[in-house]
Amino acid sequence: MREASPATGIRWLLDTEHGSRERFLPRWIFLRALGLIYFSAFFPLVFQIRGLIGANGIFPAREYLDAASRAFGPSRFLLTPTLLWVRSGNRALMALCFVGMIASVLVVLNLWPRGTLLISFICYLSFIAAAGEFAAYQSDGMLLEAGFLAMFFAPRGWRPGWGEKSPPLRLAYFLLQWEWLRIYFESGIGKLLSHDPHWRNFSAMDDYYQNGPLPTWIGWYAQHLPHWFHAITVALTLGLEIGLIWMFLLPRRFRIILFFIVTPWEIGIILTANYTFLNYLVLSLGFLLLDDQFCAQFLPAISKQRFAERVAAAGVAQSSPNEAQGSARRPSFYEEFRPHLNAFKLAVIGVTLGWVF
């Protein structure tokens, strides 16, 4: 066995070769859901973006970028990171949307996930950075954060399948869960720090369903439930958002229990109001509470067997030394340089994800 050392710990956190080999299926589910969420963000923009920030829109992107250029000078590219610095006309805006949609579909199809996630992220960041008040929502920031972390979380390769040859990066996995926790916890703390008496006297939900964002027809029926029901939902909301979500730090059994608590909760929110894709993002992040042992039982028998065989074979190939590369031949320049390249890569990943945290 190798002795524990700081370098071993860093590789355990930041190197996919030492990544978690128990969460291939939750990662696969999450990335497919993230691709759909990206698509749902780009698709409406096809019909809206020209009226919002187009040449004759409410707040043209060109005017916004010109103002940023005058205010920030050379630092404008860092403070307003967008491809629209090159061109910001209607054709450029439409191209941004269609490229983003194509990339998000490729994410769903599991084709070159790291590259297509990068393209999706750049396209959506380009819109957000130039959209001003039209993109100052919590859901936009959370999608960008999840999309950025997913680039480190996704498997490498053009058609990675389950990604068994590229295990989930442990630090990226934790940061995605950390984002999930923050969405809940900050929401709960915000309710208490707002000093709104309705959250303290358990009446906040009495009128929520008719005052919430675009309530659904199911919300109409929920609104007419008695006060005791609304008071209970207030208590459960605060208890879940401030207390229960910390169960994600507990062992496997508690995490699965937490999944079956938060998932119906999010579905209930989705069915009664419209917070755009925020709740779908939170719902998909919740699948990271699970592991392969739990998810595999829902696969068909043939797929379950193939999945187990592929993961086992990839683990053996990864842990076994390649005896063919012994002293019989001189290592190539790339093989000699590769350890230094890997060390540089780990340093970049560590600094980047540490900054995000």
Side-chain angles (χ1 to χ4, degrees):
M1 295 179 62
R2 295 181 179 179
E3 296 182 0
S5 66
T8 302
I10 291 173
R11 286 195 297 268
W12 186 82
L13 277 175
L14 303 176
D15 193 349
T16 55
E17 294 183 2
H18 300 269
S20 174
R21 305 196 62 83
E22 301 174 349
R23 293 181 172 85
F24 293 111
L25 293 177
R27 176 177 67 175
W28 190 93
I29 295 171
F30 167 71
L31 292 179
R32 306 291 77 73
L34 182 62
L36 291 174
I37 293 170
Y38 262 133
F39 185 86
S40 72
F42 285 114
F43 181 72
L45 290 179
V46 173
F47 308 97
Q48 301 171 359
I49 195 169
R50 287 171 295 184
L52 296 176
I53 61 174
N56 298 313
I58 299 173
F59 190 10
R62 185 72 269 162
E63 295 181 7
Y64 180 81
L65 295 177
D66 288 342
S69 180
R70 292 191 298 270
F72 303 125
S75 62
R76 64 187 183 275
F77 299 111
L78 179 63
L79 298 175
T80 312
T82 175
L83 295 175
L84 297 179
W85 284 112
V86 180
R87 287 196 176 184
S88 58
N90 288 342
R91 290 184 178 180
L93 295 176
M94 296 303 293
L96 199 68
C97 296
F98 281 108
V99 171
M101 283 195 298
I102 293 171
S104 62
V105 170
L106 294 178
V107 174
V108 177
L109 297 177
N110 202 19
L111 297 174
W112 193 36
R114 287 187 179 180
T116 50
L117 282 168
L118 175 61
I119 294 171
S120 299
F121 174 80
I122 291 175
C123 289
Y124 199 63
L125 176 62
S126 295
F127 164 72
I128 295 299
E133 297 298 325
F134 298 122
Y137 297 99
Q138 180 189 23
S139 54
D140 296 315
M142 290 300 178
L143 177 57
L144 284 176
E145 183 176 345
F148 183 80
L149 293 173
M151 292 188 292
F152 298 89
F153 189 58
R156 62 177 180 268
W158 293 97
R159 299 181 62 185
W162 300 112
E164 66 277 359
K165 296 181 180 179
S166 181
L169 193 70
R170 295 181 189 273
L171 184 56
Y173 168 73
F174 171 78
L175 290 178
L176 284 167
Q177 288 199 309
W178 185 249
E179 178 186 7
W180 173 86
L181 178 136
R182 285 179 12 248
I183 295 174
Y184 277 113
F185 187 72
E186 291 174 5
S187 178
I189 291 296
K191 293 178 175 64
L192 295 181
L193 296 182
S194 67
H195 302 293
D196 185 345
H198 294 93
W199 287 106
R200 300 176 185 272
N201 60 24
F202 297 93
S203 63
M205 301 296 292
D206 288 356
D207 297 316
Y208 161 78
Y209 298 99
Q210 65 181 359
N211 296 326
L214 299 176
T216 66
W217 64 270
I218 298 177
W220 186 90
Y221 288 100
Q223 175 63 47
H224 289 79
L225 293 171
H227 169 72
W228 63 262
F229 174 84
H230 299 309
I232 290 175
T233 56
V234 170
L236 292 177
T237 298
L238 295 176
L240 172 67
E241 294 180 343
I242 298 177
L244 279 178
I245 39 92
W246 291 97
M247 287 173 60
F248 95 98
L249 296 172
L250 298 178
R252 173 179 181 270
R253 180 176 300 179
F254 295 95
R255 296 161 63 88
I256 294 176
I257 293 173
L258 180 60
F259 171 81
F260 281 103
I261 294 174
V262 298
T263 301
W265 191 266
E266 284 300 323
I267 293 174
I269 296 175
I270 291 170
L271 291 176
T272 55
N274 182 5
Y275 290 90
T276 65
F277 49 76
L278 176 62
N279 292 104
Y280 293 95
L281 178 61
V282 179
L283 181 69
S284 60
L285 284 168
F287 280 90
L288 298 181
L289 293 168
L290 305 176
D291 56 18
D292 290 342
Q293 182 181 347
F294 178 85
C295 295
Q297 60 185 320
F298 298 99
L299 293 175
I302 298 178
S303 298
K304 186 188 302 184
Q305 181 179 358
R306 290 178 179 174
F307 170 75
E309 291 174 352
R310 291 179 61 173
V311 170
V316 171
Q318 197 170 42
S319 60
S320 300
N322 190 351
E323 298 179 356
Q325 297 179 355
S327 58
R329 65 177 181 86
R330 183 178 180 179
S332 65
F333 173 78
Y334 174 74
E335 290 171 340
E336 292 181 344
F337 184 70
R338 185 176 179 182
H340 304 286
L341 182 63
N342 288 339
F344 176 74
K345 181 183 71 173
L346 294 183
V348 172
I349 293 175
V351 170
T352 303
L353 295 185
W355 171 74
V356 171
F357 178 73

